[in-house]
Amino acid sequence: MSKRSVLYMLDPMPHNSPFDINMAVDADFEVIIPLNSVKLEEINGLTQDAIFSRGPEGVKKTGMFIGGRDIDLAVKMLEAARQAMVPPFQFSVLADPSGGYTTAAALVAVAEKQLKEKHGMELEGCNAVVFGGTGPVGIATGVIAALCGAETTIVDHASLDNALEKADTYGRLFETRLDGTCAASEADKAHLLHKADIVFCTAKAGVQVLKASTLAEAHQLKVAADVNAVPPLGIEGVKRADLGVPLKHAVNSPGAVGIGALAVGDYKYKLQQHLLRSLLTQKEPVFYDFREAFKIVRTMV
């Protein structure tokens, strides 16, 4: 009898995300096993239970998804799962905490394409600012941009210490450079916009990060991209479906364009579906984090 395809969904949080479960269903896994409140030290045992119970052929129809909200913990869980594999008992694993990896990968890839098409520029050498930069999506976005050569600042709305700590921690973890700062006022945001070439808004849903008056303070802005689809949207004047639409409020940055949440979300959805399905199609096991996700979505935009 042919073995059914199985996806184990491991999450350190008390509940698995319905979003991720729905994505797995739509990726056509026949059996989906959500496991919540999973601790890092349990990954080895859970992985080995999964691989040895299916045999060398069964593992080819097995995958693992790592969720949660902490990208550092997701990186550690992904590595723990990799280390637990014993050839030929191996399967592929995708980490995507809070959907942050695939969202960040899609966000940077879409913005990068607009930067090239509208301004003939690469991310390398650009000044990038990530508002909401200390959350899961913001950190992953900042790291991807920095790895592409952008001078990247992650911004916390309230705590300078938190921004500096996150910039240092994740810069060292991913062997790149991140700067951190706080922008608690419109004046703080305007100051950051003065020299920004590209802006990413990754704050929580329903928070307007950049007002029209603040955007007017930008003098060399090329692209502003938002992942917030809940009113009020993150960037005033940028609609959900905008993709390279002129940024009318950036009056001192001619040619600046905006990207809305649905334009980013379209590629995020396609990317996550592609990655989930590919867990069952790889000849050799793969271990996807946001760096691998970014490489793939770059070919999709």
Side-chain angles (χ1 to χ4, degrees):
M1 181 182 295
S2 176
K3 293 184 180 289
R4 292 188 289 174
S5 60
V6 177
L7 180 67
Y8 295 96
M9 304 190 73
L10 278 55
D11 200 307
M13 303 295 288
H15 303 285
N16 295 76
S17 165
F19 185 100
D20 294 330
I21 292 172
N22 288 341
M23 293 290 282
V25 170
D26 291 343
D28 299 326
F29 279 89
E30 295 171 283
V31 180
I32 298 169
I33 311 295
L35 300 171
N36 52 31
S37 300
V38 176
K39 297 179 175 61
L40 175 61
E41 57 267 26
E42 296 173 322
I43 296 293
N44 185 81
L46 289 169
T47 301
Q48 294 191 347
D49 276 354
I51 59 175
F52 291 134
S53 60
R54 303 215 80 194
E57 291 303 313
V59 290
K60 294 177 182 178
K61 300 196 72 174
T62 307
M64 181 178 284
F65 178 92
I66 295 172
R69 294 196 59 79
D70 185 329
I71 76 167
D72 184 22
L73 180 57
V75 167
K76 292 175 180 176
M77 286 185 162
L78 184 66
E79 183 58 27
R82 185 204 305 265
Q83 294 295 328
M85 305 289 181
V86 181
F89 302 92
Q90 299 168 287
F91 54 62
S92 296
V93 185
L94 165 62
D96 196 15
S98 288
Y101 284 3
T102 47
T103 298
L107 174 63
V108 179
V110 171
E112 178 187 50
K113 184 175 182 181
Q114 289 299 313
L115 188 64
K116 290 179 180 178
E117 288 187 348
K118 300 296 196 305
H119 298 280
M121 295 178 63
E122 303 286 341
L123 280 168
E124 185 172 5
C126 281
N127 188 319
V129 178
V130 187
F131 290 99
T134 55
V137 177
I139 292 168
T141 297
V143 172
I144 293 171
L147 288 172
C148 288
E151 297 180 12
T152 306
T153 302
I154 59 171
V155 184
D156 190 284
H157 74 285
S159 171
L160 176 60
D161 287 343
N162 187 45
L164 292 172
E165 188 273 328
K166 291 287 176 63
D168 179 65
T169 296
Y170 290 102
R172 285 188 288 106
L173 179 63
F174 295 105
E175 298 181 340
T176 189
R177 174 176 175 174
L178 288 173
D179 294 320
T181 193
C182 175
S185 68
E186 295 305 312
D188 292 335
K189 296 174 189 177
H191 178 73
L192 287 170
L193 285 184
H194 284 164
K195 295 184 179 180
D197 294 299
I198 186 165
V199 166
F200 301 102
C201 286
T202 63
K204 68 175 69 173
V207 174
Q208 187 173 88
V209 177
L210 296 176
K211 297 179 180 179
S213 57
T214 307
L215 284 168
E217 297 297 322
H219 292 283
Q220 61 185 50
L221 187 62
K222 280 78 177 178
V223 179
D226 181 29
V227 297
N228 174 22
V230 179
L233 304 184
I235 304 173
E236 188 171 357
V238 176
K239 298 177 182 178
R240 295 182 186 89
D242 284 355
L243 181 58
V245 175
L247 199 59
K248 63 180 181 180
H249 296 310
V251 293
N252 291 308
S253 295
V257 297
I259 301 169
L262 295 186
V264 174
D266 179 47
Y267 285 103
K268 179 265 192 303
Y269 181 89
K270 291 175 181 175
L271 173 62
Q272 191 171 351
Q273 284 287 293
H274 171 86
L275 295 176
L276 283 166
R277 290 194 170 101
S278 75
L279 296 180
L280 300 178
T281 61
Q282 301 293 330
K283 292 182 179 180
E284 298 294 331
V286 293
F287 300 88
Y288 293 120
D289 66 9
F290 58 83
R291 291 166 293 186
E292 294 302 314
F294 180 64
K295 292 177 185 176
I296 291 169
V297 75
R298 259 179 157 175
T299 69
M300 301 169 67
V301 299

